[in-house]
Amino acid sequence: MKKLLTLALTLCLVTGLALPATAIEGDGLDIIVNDTVVAMDTPVQIWNQVTYVSYWPVVQALYPDATAVWENDRAMIAAPGLQMEIRPGLKYLVANGRYLYMPDGVRTDNGNLLVPVRVLAAALGADVAWDPIGNHVVLTAATGPITSGDIAYQEDVVYWLSHIINAESGNQPLEGKIAVGNVVLNRVANPRFPGTVYEVIFQRGQFTPVSNGSINLTPNAESVIAAKLCLDGANTAGNALYFINPRYSPNSWASRNRPYVATIGAHAFYA
């Protein structure tokens, strides 16, 4: 069993190769925080190449004065410089107004909430590594809690990114909303397109909501969340630069000329 877990953790923390969809329990695996072994209330688990840990023992080890209460169907965690929310079933956690993505969502085990160790470390401002010799997941305090969303997110970028996400995919699942945001940000990073979110969205002839005015509709809450998730690195569309709805554009230029990436909800994405 130890050899299996060693291989699994090496794959997920080092090489990034795919693992089975079912969880592998990490019985006997240690979580070390600042050189001290932490007593975990739930074994480490691996889901789809992602290492999950129970959040509370790690929070306590890094922030001894932290508190947690159950409120509005979620855990509300407070510590010096940190406000964090973790809700079962959601595909993100919120820390200091930052939205951090986890494709397999928050998981539960015997009443305990489990989250990806790398996402938790990012929220708590800790470095994380895998020690294959000692069979440990090692977290080390670093910069302090994650910088607030007020500092990290530019207001105009969130505004326009959430508006285009809502106009193009407001009725799509969260993954589809993120994918539309990915296309916009991929274009910003690509020298063949304009260099800002606003300029990409309003480039002539690119996005139908600009011409029909739906870009100005107030975005729904999940579209705003999707915009922030994208800005914090969530990616469901890879390097896609185009998307179309095959139902309405079955013979589009992108489908005929660009490499196919994925279909998410009603949209097909192309690089």
Side-chain angles (χ1 to χ4, degrees):
M1 183 64 179
K2 182 174 181 179
K3 289 182 178 179
L4 174 61
L5 266 299
T6 298
L7 174 60
L9 278 171
T10 301
L11 287 170
C12 83
L13 291 175
V14 181
T15 70
L17 296 177
L19 291 176
T22 55
I24 302 172
E25 287 199 357
D27 294 328
L29 285 176
D30 290 327
I31 303 296
I32 296 181
V33 176
N34 293 336
D35 299 322
T36 300
V37 177
V38 176
M40 301 299 290
D41 48 22
T42 303
V44 174
Q45 296 182 6
I46 299 172
W47 286 86
N48 295 334
Q49 68 182 309
V50 176
T51 303
Y52 273 74
V53 297
S54 179
Y55 84 91
W56 182 237
V58 176
V59 171
Q60 282 188 307
L62 284 165
Y63 297 92
D65 295 329
T67 60
V69 296
W70 189 255
E71 186 176 299
N72 297 324
D73 298 323
R74 70 201 69 191
M76 307 286 289
I77 300 96
L82 175 69
Q83 296 289 327
M84 186 164 64
E85 300 178 21
I86 305 175
R87 184 175 181 177
L90 289 188
K91 295 193 172 185
Y92 55 86
L93 63 76
V94 185
N96 289 346
R98 299 280 291 276
Y99 286 74
L100 306 181
Y101 187 54
M102 52 189 87
D104 288 309
V106 178
R107 310 201 69 86
T108 59
D109 189 329
N110 293 322
N112 297 310
L113 301 183
L114 281 68
V115 298
V117 66
R118 289 195 181 278
V119 173
L120 183 59
L124 301 179
D127 296 324
V128 60
W130 161 240
D131 172 16
I133 298 176
N135 206 37
H136 309 312
V137 177
V138 181
L139 291 96
T140 307
T143 58
I146 193 169
T147 304
S148 73
D150 291 338
I151 295 174
Y153 302 138
Q154 295 180 24
E155 184 176 353
D156 62 324
V157 172
V158 173
Y159 180 91
W160 287 115
L161 191 59
S162 62
H163 274 66
I164 193 63
I165 288 171
N166 181 74
E168 291 282 11
S169 59
N171 63 346
Q172 296 300 300
L174 179 61
E175 292 85 354
K177 293 182 176 71
I178 292 171
V180 168
N182 293 154
V183 167
V184 174
L185 295 181
N186 288 345
R187 289 189 177 195
V188 171
N190 190 303
R192 292 186 288 129
F193 294 91
T196 69
V197 166
Y198 179 88
E199 291 172 321
V200 162
I201 292 171
F202 285 89
Q203 187 178 17
R204 177 174 288 188
Q206 295 300 303
F207 293 99
T208 301
V210 172
S211 59
N212 67 21
S214 62
I215 186 69
N216 297 307
L217 296 174
T218 301
N220 59 34
E222 192 170 74
S223 293
V224 177
I225 290 170
K228 293 178 178 179
L229 287 166
C230 289
L231 293 170
D232 256 313
N235 189 316
T236 60
N239 62 345
L241 294 168
Y242 307 89
F243 63 90
I244 56 101
N245 186 326
R247 179 179 177 183
Y248 300 109
S249 302
N251 193 35
S252 68
W253 175 87
S255 64
R256 290 182 286 106
N257 294 277
R258 306 303 302 179
Y260 172 77
V261 175
T263 296
I264 304 173
H267 292 122
F269 293 83
Y270 300 86

